[in-house]
Amino acid sequence: MANNRQFLYEDVAQSVTCMINDGTLSPGDKAPSLRMLGKQLNVSVATIMQAYEELEKNGLLKARPQSGFYVQASAPLPDSAPRWRSTQAAARKVQIGAHMNEVLASARVPGVLNLAIANPATELLPVKALNRSLKRVCSARATEALSYAPIEGMPELRSSIARRSIHLEHPVNPDSVLITTGATEALSLCLRAVAKAGDIIAVESPAYFGVLQMIESLGMLALEIDTDPVDGLRPDALETVVEREQIAAVVSVGTFNNPTGSVVPRAAREQIVTLLAEHNIPLIEDDIYGELYLGQQKPLPYKAFDKTGQVMTCSGFSKTIAPGYRVGWIVADRYLPELKDLKLISSSSTPTLTQMTMADFLADGRYDRHLTRLRRACREQLQVTRRAVQTHFPVGTRISEPTGGYVLWIQLPRGMDANQLYRDAIAENISITPGALFSSTGKFRNFLRLCAGQPFSDEIARGIQRLGQLAERQRTLKNPIQ
Amino acid sequence: MANNRQFLYEDVAQSVTCMINDGTLSPGDKAPSLRMLGKQLNVSVATIMQAYEELEKNGLLKARPQSGFYVQASAPLPDSAPRWRSTQAAARKVQIGAHMNEVLASARVPGVLNLAIANPATELLPVKALNRSLKRVCSARATEALSYAPIEGMPELRSSIARRSIHLEHPVNPDSVLITTGATEALSLCLRAVAKAGDIIAVESPAYFGVLQMIESLGMLALEIDTDPVDGLRPDALETVVEREQIAAVVSVGTFNNPTGSVVPRAAREQIVTLLAEHNIPLIEDDIYGELYLGQQKPLPYKAFDKTGQVMTCSGFSKTIAPGYRVGWIVADRYLPELKDLKLISSSSTPTLTQMTMADFLADGRYDRHLTRLRRACREQLQVTRRAVQTHFPVGTRISEPTGGYVLWIQLPRGMDANQLYRDAIAENISITPGALFSSTGKFRNFLRLCAGQPFSDEIARGIQRLGQLAERQRTLKNPIQ
């Protein structure tokens, strides 16, 4: 993929960290040579050296005399990462919808500081470039833009999406792409294509509340699988579950998990896909944050390891280009006929105008240039927001260090109540997402999600400071002795 | 509603016919006086006189000396209207999906004459005016157009839609309007909001195949209710059914039924709404063709008689302005919370850009002026297409005479097979919709639907002539003696 910007040593360090986190580099592996990586990224050997020294300081690499840098045998977990008990819950009905609606509605009230909804800030969106694409479509193909698109989507958009996987060993075939009205419709169609009311859906714990609410609304049962704070869905935990229970489908956000930011390492992904193929269980992959990697490249999706057509990958442009356009897609094989039938009766074809505009925008390098800018903004926003939380939240607060996306998963000290913090905060016009929304088990009561999709501002700084004060007040009231 | 064009005597005759058909004028009623109607329509008394004499010739009005014109005690049914046996089928699974997909796909193949899909021709769409609205939105509110709309839709669009009912006794409240991704999503959400797999849905017989396929795909059962060729859903037939069966919902296209063109008269509508309220059964009204009336005004929807909030009215702009924009809506009361929840998990908010553009287009009189032109085109197309069918199809063919919309329902002589005609026609690149798609009972095998959404052309004329020849050939092969 095109990447024209100049790399700084922090970028290089971040890239290598990602390669270690996603398993491209394993413990004991030799890191790329200074000269090779310098050439590849078009930066000086000195910059690479500076990055490697930084990584050595952080304990991720170790220099061996006369040989180069090697990945540490056990790269230490960041001390500050949130942790949770690994308890396996039973499949259960979900009841988060009412609470979710309340939280989302309160975040949308004008004047409320939105740290709850995972949106990119409008100032980060390519408004002018998209308008140019729109004008081109309206001049050249106005009539076509008013007509029904094919059910599976506009051919040029399906090709553009497929082309973005051209570097993979098995690139996506345009015929495997079904355009949807946003990633929400994509996920919803996938669930409905392979499961019905009463069926058990295995999800990560914590899980994206949107998927939990789909499961609730469709009358299915959620079975929450134990996840790792950094490595996400654990193959061993999943194996235990699929051998014990009749699972209709698994939903996983393997890349930049929402809310934890975890990335399932390459080897684990392969294990998961193989395991599910053996058990003939479809895997619904939510890849909505995939393009927002802060490292050097996008971690491989589950779909890259799919030999049986079992994996359906859902994504869209809502987190990167245009939330309001509602253009998403599914990459699927075996279940494509069912998905198309369901799409036809659910919303018929996706709007033509927005599909054509998106295809025009994707046609040259504009999307990649935009993504490069957006990733840099996300990185900065995540860093500054993290630092603000570390500064203002009570001692003992843990916070994720995601390598992509723009959400932070925060663990308050034990015994604290993030629902209470949500209520205290919204009373002061600050919205957060309480952790309870990410599970139907009652876990994560002392967790919350903060979104760093907006450029950091004084208002956000004040908001986070105030959140910290509210949390501190709650802590003091609970433990008056301290 | 604005209506600036000059009325011809045929227009006046058509208007009065519609008033009789939809029950605004009952048998025995005095027709509006020449002077009053002339003033109202801004035409001369002579024109009205000419129209009334025409209607007298057709047996719809009768002049009484010194008194005026009166609606005939029993206005005769047009002799040529299709007829079908009134047999009440049991609730059953639907299995039309595969056949439907085949028919729709074949109609979309380039080079095929499309008489199958109920589309307005692109040359009848307000391409330039919509492009102007789009440009206005992009200049003034570009950023907003990229952002998520509220789940219930953009406020200005909901208000515009509500305002179109301002002349009704109980106009629609903007808060009752939920914007959807086309009328397909509207219908689908309504079904899912009030029924689940295994539930019985009462539909008209024949019924719009899209609804039948929804019922099939959602695992519900269809119970087809006997309908009248001209008056549509019969309250007595419906009453028999709801007293015998546990019905989860009724779906009805009360105005310009697809495929029959029938209009449920005002009194029958009131009876149906009251009956369903007594039995606490929701009524899903499909009003997608409502604005395409050829008479003087839009027949009142079921919703106008709804005192209990039981009626959900679905409509959209796909048949009148922009099929590809996919902007539809539901007007609902009691079920609005369930509908909003389902909308949220099904596709989240409807695309913002198309909503804003549509709201801009609706803001002044452009929509009404466009509708006036479109209705005139529809009337002409229906008339010419009807005449062509009468000329070329086998003796004994019956054909509907709709007072709105743009589809014709054609009954071939008994024993003929419209599925065979479909296959013969598609082999010659002419697409029609066989009647079997409009029922899950196996009825309507000698029926077909033709769409007159395209301006009549030599190609269409040749296509209909060829259809007639193919039908004639089939008839001769079946009855070689004749």
Side-chain angles (χ1 to χ4, degrees):
Chain A
M1 277 168 245
N3 204 333
N4 303 320
R5 72 190 173 84
Q6 184 63 42
F7 274 75
L8 308 173
Y9 90 89
E10 295 95 335
D11 297 325
V12 177
Q14 177 95 47
S15 289
V16 176
T17 306
C18 290
M19 288 164 80
I20 295 171
N21 285 345
D22 71 13
T24 309
L25 288 174
S26 300
D29 279 359
K30 190 169 187 298
S33 78
L34 301 179
R35 189 196 306 248
M36 202 185 77
L37 195 58
K39 205 167 163 188
Q40 203 179 326
L41 301 180
N42 196 25
V43 297
S44 70
V45 168
T47 302
I48 307 288
M49 189 65 198
Q50 199 182 354
Y52 278 17
E53 284 173 355
E54 177 78 16
L55 291 170
E56 193 174 19
K57 244 191 282 172
N58 294 343
L60 286 170
L61 293 184
K62 187 152 181 62
R64 291 190 200 158
Q66 314 296 329
S67 172
F69 285 83
Y70 286 78
V71 179
Q72 278 283 51
S74 61
L77 258 186
D79 257 357
S80 63
R83 281 142 206 239
W84 47 88
R85 269 175 307 138
S86 60
T87 47
Q88 190 51 59
R92 64 181 66 207
K93 281 203 172 180
V94 182
Q95 283 180 314
I96 62 144
H99 191 186
M100 186 187 104
N101 286 344
E102 180 204 333
V103 171
L104 297 184
S106 68
R108 286 201 177 92
V109 172
V112 166
L113 175 66
N114 171 27
L115 302 171
I117 301 178
N119 263 357
T122 48
E123 54 262 55
L124 299 176
L125 301 177
V127 181
K128 281 187 187 163
L130 266 182
N131 261 3
R132 279 195 297 273
S133 289
L134 192 55
K135 273 182 195 148
R136 252 196 306 274
V137 167
C138 288
S139 330
R141 298 166 71 191
T143 306
E144 200 182 346
L146 290 195
S147 308
Y148 287 122
I151 282 296
E152 57 274 15
M154 296 299 280
E156 62 268 36
L157 182 60
R158 299 167 74 209
S159 296
S160 289
I161 289 166
R163 247 195 319 274
R164 295 192 66 77
S165 69
I166 207 93
H167 61 289
L168 296 183
E169 198 182 340
H170 303 286
V172 170
N173 184 327
D175 291 341
S176 300
V177 180
L178 175 67
I179 304 294
T180 58
T181 313
T184 299
E185 187 177 54
L187 287 171
S188 193
L189 294 177
C190 287
L191 272 176
R192 290 168 59 203
V194 297
K196 56 184 191 313
D199 282 354
I200 299 176
I201 310 298
V203 295
E204 288 140 344
S205 189
Y208 165 48
F209 52 76
V211 164
L212 288 178
Q213 213 220 348
M214 281 179 202
I215 292 172
E216 172 176 350
S217 178
L218 296 170
M220 300 167 185
L221 304 175
L223 202 163
E224 297 184 23
I225 312 270
D226 195 33
T227 63
D228 182 89
V230 171
D231 290 343
L233 188 60
R234 286 173 34 207
D236 56 339
L238 184 61
E239 186 164 14
T240 311
V241 163
V242 298
E243 281 174 356
R244 206 184 54 202
E245 303 266 5
Q246 188 75 28
I247 305 287
V250 176
V251 182
S252 171
V253 191
T255 304
F256 317 134
N257 183 278
N258 176 5
T260 68
S262 64
V263 177
V264 178
R266 188 188 168 116
R269 264 182 221 250
E270 200 162 359
Q271 268 179 278
I272 289 169
V273 172
T274 307
L275 171 74
L276 294 180
E278 280 165 14
H279 288 77
N280 202 21
I281 299 173
L283 172 59
I284 302 169
E285 169 168 39
D286 179 354
D287 196 36
I288 188 75
Y289 292 100
E291 289 284 9
L292 291 176
Y293 54 89
L294 308 183
Q296 217 177 320
Q297 60 184 16
K298 189 178 163 182
L300 282 181
Y302 286 112
K303 190 75 188 156
F305 305 100
D306 182 21
K307 296 190 180 93
T308 60
Q310 202 85 298
V311 180
M312 291 168 267
T313 302
C314 301
S315 194
F317 298 117
S318 299
K319 304 297 181 193
T320 53
I321 310 186
Y325 269 36
R326 317 295 307 115
V327 178
W329 64 86
I330 308 171
V331 178
D333 298 290
R334 189 196 292 197
Y335 303 104
L336 207 54
E338 290 92 332
L339 290 167
K340 272 171 73 172
D341 280 355
L342 268 179
K343 169 73 174 138
L344 184 66
I345 67 130
S346 298
S347 65
S348 186
S349 54
T350 299
T352 316
L353 178 66
T354 41
Q355 287 192 63
M356 288 169 81
T357 304
M358 214 50 98
D360 184 275
F361 184 74
L362 289 179
D364 55 28
R366 273 173 293 161
Y367 185 36
D368 284 308
R369 286 196 296 277
H370 163 66
L371 281 177
T372 302
R373 277 192 302 274
L374 183 60
R375 286 181 199 123
R376 178 165 289 201
C378 287
R379 174 181 312 166
E380 284 168 12
Q381 289 161 201
L382 277 174
Q383 278 174 353
V384 190
T385 310
R386 265 193 107 241
R387 217 171 299 141
V389 171
Q390 284 168 331
T391 308
H392 296 296
F393 273 52
V395 173
T397 297
R398 291 167 175 278
I399 178 165
S400 64
E401 192 163 2
T403 55
Y406 40 66
V407 306
L408 289 170
W409 183 232
I410 296 167
Q411 180 177 23
L412 299 173
R414 187 196 290 262
M416 288 190 61
D417 180 0
N419 281 335
Q420 183 60 48
L421 182 60
Y422 160 76
R423 287 190 296 269
D424 293 344
I426 205 67
E428 303 195 9
N429 289 331
I430 304 168
S431 73
I432 60 171
T433 322
L437 278 191
F438 298 90
S439 174
S440 58
T441 61
K443 279 167 86 173
F444 307 113
R445 282 195 71 94
N446 60 323
F447 287 72
L448 61 129
R449 187 188 74 173
L450 282 193
C451 292
Q454 320 288 322
F456 202 77
S457 63
D458 286 352
E459 196 197 354
I460 295 177
R462 277 195 304 274
I464 292 175
Q465 182 173 14
R466 186 61 193 146
L467 279 175
Q469 289 166 348
L470 293 171
E472 188 60 40
R473 189 181 72 186
Q474 188 190 121
R475 201 181 62 85
T476 321
L477 287 173
K478 287 209 187 230
N479 307 296
I481 299 162
Q482 291 184 312
Chain B
M1 277 167 246
N3 203 332
N4 302 320
R5 71 192 173 86
Q6 184 64 43
F7 272 76
L8 308 171
Y9 90 90
E10 295 95 334
D11 296 325
V12 177
Q14 176 96 46
S15 288
V16 176
T17 307
C18 289
M19 288 164 79
I20 295 171
N21 285 344
D22 71 12
T24 309
L25 288 175
S26 299
D29 278 359
K30 191 169 187 301
S33 77
L34 301 179
R35 190 197 304 251
M36 202 186 77
L37 196 57
K39 206 167 161 189
Q40 203 179 327
L41 302 179
N42 196 25
V43 297
S44 70
V45 168
T47 303
I48 307 287
M49 188 65 196
Q50 200 182 352
Y52 278 17
E53 284 172 355
E54 177 78 15
L55 291 170
E56 193 173 19
K57 246 190 281 171
N58 295 343
L60 285 172
L61 294 184
K62 186 154 180 63
R64 291 190 200 157
Q66 314 297 328
S67 171
F69 285 84
Y70 287 79
V71 179
Q72 278 283 52
S74 60
L77 258 187
D79 258 357
S80 64
R83 283 142 204 238
W84 47 89
R85 270 175 306 137
S86 61
T87 47
Q88 190 51 60
R92 63 180 68 207
K93 280 203 171 182
V94 182
Q95 282 181 312
I96 61 144
H99 192 186
M100 184 189 105
N101 286 344
E102 180 204 334
V103 171
L104 297 185
S106 68
R108 286 202 176 94
V109 173
V112 167
L113 175 65
N114 170 27
L115 301 171
I117 301 178
N119 262 356
T122 48
E123 53 263 55
L124 299 177
L125 301 178
V127 181
K128 281 186 187 163
L130 266 182
N131 261 3
R132 278 195 298 273
S133 289
L134 193 54
K135 274 182 194 147
R136 251 195 307 274
V137 166
C138 288
S139 330
R141 299 165 71 190
T143 305
E144 202 181 345
L146 290 195
S147 308
Y148 287 121
I151 282 297
E152 57 273 15
M154 296 298 281
E156 62 268 35
L157 181 60
R158 298 166 74 208
S159 296
S160 289
I161 290 165
R163 248 196 317 274
R164 295 191 66 78
S165 69
I166 207 93
H167 61 288
L168 297 182
E169 197 183 339
H170 303 287
V172 170
N173 184 328
D175 291 340
S176 299
V177 180
L178 174 67
I179 304 295
T180 58
T181 312
T184 300
E185 187 177 54
L187 288 170
S188 193
L189 294 177
C190 287
L191 273 176
R192 290 168 58 202
V194 297
K196 57 185 190 313
D199 282 355
I200 299 177
I201 310 298
V203 296
E204 288 139 344
S205 187
Y208 165 49
F209 53 75
V211 163
L212 288 178
Q213 213 220 349
M214 279 178 203
I215 293 172
E216 172 177 351
S217 178
L218 297 170
M220 300 168 186
L221 304 175
L223 202 163
E224 298 183 23
I225 312 271
D226 195 32
T227 62
D228 183 90
V230 172
D231 290 343
L233 188 60
R234 287 172 34 206
D236 56 339
L238 185 61
E239 186 164 16
T240 311
V241 164
V242 298
E243 281 174 356
R244 207 184 54 202
E245 303 266 5
Q246 188 76 29
I247 305 285
V250 177
V251 182
S252 172
V253 191
T255 303
F256 317 133
N257 182 278
N258 176 6
T260 69
S262 65
V263 178
V264 178
R266 188 189 168 113
R269 265 184 222 249
E270 200 162 358
Q271 269 179 277
I272 288 168
V273 172
T274 307
L275 171 74
L276 294 180
E278 280 165 14
H279 288 78
N280 202 22
I281 299 173
L283 172 59
I284 302 169
E285 169 169 38
D286 178 355
D287 196 37
I288 188 77
Y289 292 101
E291 290 284 8
L292 291 177
Y293 53 89
L294 309 183
Q296 219 177 317
Q297 61 183 16
K298 188 178 163 182
L300 281 180
Y302 287 112
K303 190 75 189 157
F305 305 101
D306 182 21
K307 297 192 179 93
T308 60
Q310 201 86 300
V311 180
M312 291 167 268
T313 301
C314 301
S315 194
F317 297 116
S318 299
K319 304 297 181 192
T320 54
I321 311 186
Y325 268 37
R326 318 294 307 113
V327 179
W329 64 87
I330 308 171
V331 179
D333 298 292
R334 190 197 292 199
Y335 302 104
L336 207 53
E338 288 91 332
L339 290 167
K340 272 171 71 173
D341 279 354
L342 269 179
K343 169 74 174 137
L344 183 66
I345 66 131
S346 298
S347 65
S348 185
S349 54
T350 299
T352 316
L353 178 67
T354 41
Q355 288 192 63
M356 288 168 80
T357 305
M358 213 51 97
D360 184 276
F361 184 74
L362 290 179
D364 55 28
R366 273 173 294 160
Y367 185 37
D368 284 309
R369 288 195 295 279
H370 163 65
L371 281 176
T372 303
R373 279 192 301 275
L374 182 60
R375 286 181 199 123
R376 178 163 289 199
C378 288
R379 175 181 311 164
E380 284 167 13
Q381 289 162 201
L382 276 174
Q383 278 174 354
V384 191
T385 310
R386 265 192 106 241
R387 217 171 297 141
V389 172
Q390 284 167 331
T391 307
H392 296 296
F393 272 52
V395 173
T397 297
R398 293 169 173 278
I399 177 165
S400 64
E401 191 164 3
T403 55
Y406 39 66
V407 306
L408 290 170
W409 183 231
I410 295 168
Q411 180 178 23
L412 300 172
R414 187 197 291 263
M416 287 190 62
D417 180 359
N419 281 336
Q420 183 61 48
L421 182 61
Y422 160 76
R423 286 190 297 269
D424 292 344
I426 204 68
E428 303 195 9
N429 289 331
I430 303 168
S431 73
I432 60 170
T433 322
L437 278 191
F438 297 91
S439 175
S440 58
T441 63
K443 280 168 86 174
F444 308 112
R445 282 194 70 94
N446 60 324
F447 287 72
L448 60 129
R449 188 189 75 173
L450 283 192
C451 292
Q454 319 289 320
F456 203 77
S457 63
D458 287 352
E459 195 197 356
I460 295 177
R462 278 196 303 274
I464 292 176
Q465 183 173 14
R466 186 61 193 146
L467 279 176
Q469 290 166 347
L470 292 172
E472 188 59 41
R473 190 181 72 185
Q474 187 190 120
R475 200 181 63 86
T476 322
L477 286 173
K478 287 208 187 229
N479 308 294
I481 299 161
Q482 291 182 311

